[in-house]
Amino acid sequence: MDFANQRVCSKRTKPDHITFVGVLSACTHSGLVDKGLEYFNLIKEKHGLGYTIDHYACVVNLLSRSGRFSEAEDINKKLPMKPDKFLWASLLAGCRIHGNLDLAKRAAEALFKIEPENAATYVTLSNIYAAAGKWVKVAKNRNLMDVNKVVKKPGRSWTKIKRKVYTFLMGDRSNPRLNEIHELLEELQIKIREEGYVPKTDYVLHDVEDEQKEQNLSYHSENLAIAFAILVTPPGTSIKVFKNLRTCVDCHMFIKYVSKVVSRKIIVRDSSRFHCFEDGSYSCKDYW
């Protein structure tokens, strides 16, 4: 961020609105809340630029991800323009991290009015309710999806090995090495538990026993793709996996530990961003 500061404040460089969107986004994904607020204030105070809805969405995202909801809501209430879907989605994302049920409901209701066809809102709200054990509300939210004829896209992951693309879906049995993949995942589960991994079953959207929840999580499409890549590539080879949806909390933690026990660099590109895992650590530091 020191480099960003030099670029923003350089006398030879005139930052524009887009410059600050990039800087604020970088602060958000790095967890630099106070630094992000400092840059937000610079937009008007030092550079004489007006705030755009994108700037407000970034700073609301910054605050809500760190759990500072009162400040985020205060900005939302004082907006000189109507909040858009990105701002409400930022609040909802923060509620998912910190389990703020009341604000999550209000943010979701606002998003339902703006884009009732977006499955991501329903799924995120269901995840928040599931984490809190509110299964009746999960069921009602799922029923609302059916009423509005909203269909969630199935999670799909793919990896490229020797110029050939291999695609994986949860429950898909078309890969000829599927049994080997499942056996490897079971082995990895044992190894990573010894390293401290604990499955994050809070977000599984079924009121079932923990053992079944853990099994559901381990067979998510990105885990299948990673296990396959481990099987068919030489030890030490970096692994790259792409996913059409956002990586869930448990898979994020699972891949972190897998990168350590197999001594591989694993890069996952989901619908949100790139995640780089290596030797049990990851690039985003839980701000993703």
Side-chain angles (χ1 to χ4, degrees), residues 7-266:
R7 294 294 294 170
V8 169
C9 298
S10 171
K11 293 181 179 180
R12 294 177 296 173
T13 304
K14 285 189 176 183
D16 57 13
H17 298 86
I18 298 174
T19 304
F20 283 101
V21 170
V23 171
L24 291 173
S25 296
C27 290
T28 297
H29 289 298
S30 301
L32 301 175
V33 183
D34 292 333
K35 180 63 70 173
L37 293 175
E38 180 184 328
Y39 283 126
F40 180 72
N41 291 329
L42 284 177
I43 293 174
K44 182 177 288 186
E45 293 177 3
K46 183 170 184 177
H47 298 281
L49 299 172
Y51 293 124
T52 68
I53 189 64
D54 291 330
H55 296 145
Y56 286 115
C58 285
V59 78
V60 165
N61 195 13
L62 180 76
L63 291 167
S64 58
R65 282 176 181 269
S66 62
R68 293 164 64 166
F69 292 112
S70 60
E71 295 170 76
E73 284 195 274
D74 188 54
I75 289 175
N76 194 19
K77 291 175 182 177
K78 296 178 180 179
L79 280 179
M81 69 281 283
K82 187 176 180 180
D84 67 358
K85 63 180 182 181
F86 299 108
L87 193 147
W88 286 116
S90 295
L91 276 174
L92 188 61
C95 293
R96 179 191 61 80
I97 296 170
H98 299 282
N100 190 324
L101 298 182
D102 293 335
L103 181 56
K105 182 180 177 181
R106 283 187 276 129
E109 287 174 349
L111 286 167
F112 290 151
K113 293 178 181 178
I114 297 172
E115 46 177 10
E117 74 287 349
N118 189 348
T121 303
Y122 297 87
V123 173
T124 302
L125 184 60
S126 291
N127 283 335
I128 295 169
Y129 284 145
K134 305 290 184 180
W135 298 108
V136 173
K137 291 188 176 182
V138 171
K140 288 182 178 179
N141 192 51
R142 287 294 188 175
N143 183 62
L144 184 60
M145 288 184 71
D146 293 336
V147 170
N148 292 334
K149 298 180 180 180
V150 177
V151 180
K152 177 184 177 293
K153 293 188 297 183
R156 179 172 61 90
S157 297
W158 60 96
T159 186
K160 190 175 182 180
I161 310 291
K162 294 182 179 180
R163 298 185 180 181
K164 183 175 180 179
V165 175
Y166 297 86
T167 301
F168 298 85
L169 291 89
M170 184 174 175
D172 181 18
R173 306 194 64 83
S174 61
N175 191 290
R177 302 189 66 170
L178 188 64
N179 289 337
E180 293 177 79
I181 291 171
H182 284 188
E183 288 176 5
L184 178 56
L185 284 173
E186 290 173 7
E187 292 174 11
L188 290 173
Q189 281 277 355
I190 295 172
K191 290 180 179 179
I192 65 178
R193 283 173 187 272
E194 294 174 352
E195 294 292 334
Y197 164 74
V198 178
K200 296 286 292 182
T201 60
D202 294 348
Y203 296 99
V204 179
L205 300 182
H206 302 283
D207 190 6
V208 297
E209 297 297 326
D210 284 344
E211 184 178 353
Q212 181 61 47
K213 288 182 180 181
E214 292 172 19
Q215 186 177 31
N216 292 344
L217 288 168
S218 65
Y219 294 146
H220 281 186
S221 64
E222 58 266 58
N223 295 343
L224 295 171
I226 289 169
F228 174 76
I230 293 172
L231 283 172
V232 301
T233 59
T237 304
S238 295
I239 294 171
K240 295 180 182 179
V241 169
F242 301 85
K243 185 173 182 179
N244 65 328
L245 302 177
R246 193 174 185 274
T247 298
C248 77
V249 175
D250 181 76
C251 286
H252 198 267
M253 189 64 64
F254 176 88
I255 300 167
K256 165 193 165 182
Y257 280 99
V258 168
S259 73
K260 182 176 182 179
V261 300
V262 301
S263 299
R264 303 274 195 124
K265 183 177 182 179
I266 303 174

